[in-house]
């Protein structure tokens, strides 16, 4: 017997959701065969078997699983799996009489399988909720039913509402729970700081008079990537013992949210590729987000993140720094600003805010201001825009 371990699909998450099994419990599988589909905060991934064997599931579909933990077992034969199940049943039978005799005020505590216990702990399922199932032995599928029904939040919500039975309860979806895990880890481990700068978009609009096939997002990606050599620590990955691993290429991850969840696909080698190609990739990313069918390599090798907050009237945003990154750059909405000409005449000009949230252990405020100033100069200068887009 060997454990079917959940590999670490990316550095930003601590775990993922097992969306569904591709093979039946007790089925024979071959090495490298796809046995399950999992969802991280970024994408859907395939879990493959690392050896031939007979599959025994340890978790149910919909369970949140930690990377490095077993989600199944692979037995050499059906007989070996049958023996394992027989031994497990005997162990449950042996402990059941003692547990039934215990008094916990609301009836005896049910006996949980290993998978059920892990799932209950991950989602904060309480003993009273498990007793409400009316089962002596609780499986992972039973716990999952509580989660799907929103039962895990009802008790807490009622307490927060003063015990009102009418309090509405909404359960977070599996994708949002994965996002929550990343956000919690980021706030727990990364001491972030923040800086922002105003950018005049007059030159940008002037260069697009001929209907250029790119937008401000693509231009900012090019401006960020062009500073890779000058600011390598902004494109680095924190390592052990106060070290940083420098990225060989300016691969820029861009947040995409079209209402189907947050994704961060990566524009590879953004410094050297034509801006039109980057615009095509971004359009493909948006379509993939709508259909939720990203390629497996769409999220790999990210060196720096661009977080888009350019919906109308958004003037400032400070997203989290994802674990594994040293910073995240933010683009806010375009707005009109009143300014004065040299002779004192008022006029309006288009502006936006570009900001950077950064890991203060790796980068300092002076570094952030220098980086933002360099990007601002490229976005405001017609010659620099021509160089980036030519």
């Amino acid at each position: 017997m060997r454990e079917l371990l959940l590999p670490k699909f990316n550095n930003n998450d601590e775990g993922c959701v097992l969306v569904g099994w591709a093979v039946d419990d007790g089925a024979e599988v071959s090495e490298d065969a796809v046995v399950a589909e999992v969802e991280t905060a970024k994408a859907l991934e395939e879990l493959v078997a690392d050896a031939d064997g007979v599959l025994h599931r340890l978790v149910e579909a919909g369970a949140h699983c930690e990377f490095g933990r077993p989600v199944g077992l692979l037995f050499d034969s059906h007989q070996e799996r049958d023996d394992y199940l027989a031994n497990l049943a005997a162990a449950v039978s042996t402990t059941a009489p003692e547990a039934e005799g215990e008094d916990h005020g609301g009836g005896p505590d049910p006996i949980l399988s290993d998978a059920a216990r892990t799932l209950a702990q991950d989602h904060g399922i309480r003993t009273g909720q498990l007793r409400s199932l009316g089962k002596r032995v609780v499986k992972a599928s039973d716990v999952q039913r509580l989660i799907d029904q929103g039962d895990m939040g009802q008790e807490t919500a009622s307490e927060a509402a003063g015990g009102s039975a009418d309090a509405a309860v909404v359960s977070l979806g599996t994708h949002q729970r994965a996002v929550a895990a990343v956000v919690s880890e980021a706030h727990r481990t990364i001491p972030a700081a923040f800086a922002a700068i105003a950018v005049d978009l007059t030159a940008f609009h002037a260069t697009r008079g001929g209907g250029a096939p790119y937008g401000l997002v693509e231009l900012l990606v090019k401006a960020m990537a062009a500073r890779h050599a000058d600011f390598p620590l902004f494109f680095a990955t924190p390592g052990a013992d106060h070290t940083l691993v420098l990225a060989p290429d300016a691969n820029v991850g861009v947040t995409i949210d079209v209402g189907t969840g947050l994704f961060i696909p990566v524009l590879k080698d953004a410094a050297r590729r034509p801006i039109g190609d980057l615009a095509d990739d971004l359009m493909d990313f948006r379509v993939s987000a709508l259909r939720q069918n990203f390629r497996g390599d769409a999220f790999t090798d990210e060196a720096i993140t661009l977080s888009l907050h350019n919906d109308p009237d958004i003037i400032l945003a400070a997203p989290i720094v994802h674990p594994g990154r040293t910073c995240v750059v933010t683009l806010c909405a375009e707005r009109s600003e009143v300014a004065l000409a040299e002779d004192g005449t008022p006029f309006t000009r288009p502006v936006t805010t570009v900001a950077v949230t950064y890991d203060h252990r790796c980068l300092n405020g002076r570094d952030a201001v220098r980086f933002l100033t360099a990007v601002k100069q490229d976005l405001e200068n017609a010659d620099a825009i021509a160089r980036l887009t030519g």
Side-chain angles (χ1 to χ4, degrees), residues 99 107-112 117 127 130-133 135-138:
D109 287 351
I111 300 171
L112 277 68
R117 184 177 297 104
T127 302
L130 295 171
R131 289 197 204 106
S132 70
L133 292 169
K135 293 189 173 185
R136 191 69 201 94
V137 178
V138 174

Side-chain angles (χ1 to χ4, degrees), residues 79-108:
Q79 184 61 52
E80 184 183 17
R81 178 173 180 265
D82 292 342
D83 292 342
Y84 169 84
L85 294 176
N87 292 334
L88 182 63
V92 170
S93 176
T94 300
T95 58
E98 179 181 353
E100 288 178 356
E102 296 176 2
D103 182 11
H104 296 280

Side-chain angles (χ1 to χ4, degrees), residues 217 220 224 252-256 262 264 302 304-310 317-320 322 328-332 353 355 357:
V217 174
L220 178 53
M224 292 166 55
V252 182
V254 181
T255 61
I256 303 292
L262 177 66
I264 311 179
E302 180 185 1
I304 191 171
T305 308
L306 172 59
S307 183
L308 302 181
H309 294 264
N310 51 354
I320 65 167
H322 281 223
V328 54
V329 178
T330 307
L331 175 65
C332 296
T353 301
T357 309

Side-chain angles (χ1 to χ4, degrees), residues 51-129:
D52 297 341
V54 177
L55 175 67
H56 176 71
R57 303 174 184 174
L58 292 179
V59 301
E60 299 293 329
H64 187 276
C65 311
E66 295 181 9
F67 292 144
R69 294 282 295 274
V71 295
L73 301 173
L74 291 175
F75 293 93
D76 292 334
S77 65
H78 288 284
Q79 184 61 52
E80 184 183 17
R81 178 173 180 265
D82 292 342
D83 292 342
Y84 169 84
L85 294 176
N87 292 334
L88 182 63
V92 170
S93 176
T94 300
T95 58
E98 179 181 353
E100 288 178 356
E102 296 176 2
D103 182 11
H104 296 280
D109 287 351
I111 300 171
L112 277 68
S113 67
D114 290 342
R117 184 177 297 104
T118 299
L119 191 59
Q121 291 172 348
D122 287 345
H123 292 273
I125 302 296
R126 300 185 180 185
T127 302
Q129 295 167 277

Side-chain angles (χ1 to χ4, degrees), residues 337-349:
E337 177 183 84
V338 177
L340 295 177
E342 292 183 0
D343 62 0
T345 304
F347 69 97
T348 60
R349 62 181 182 181

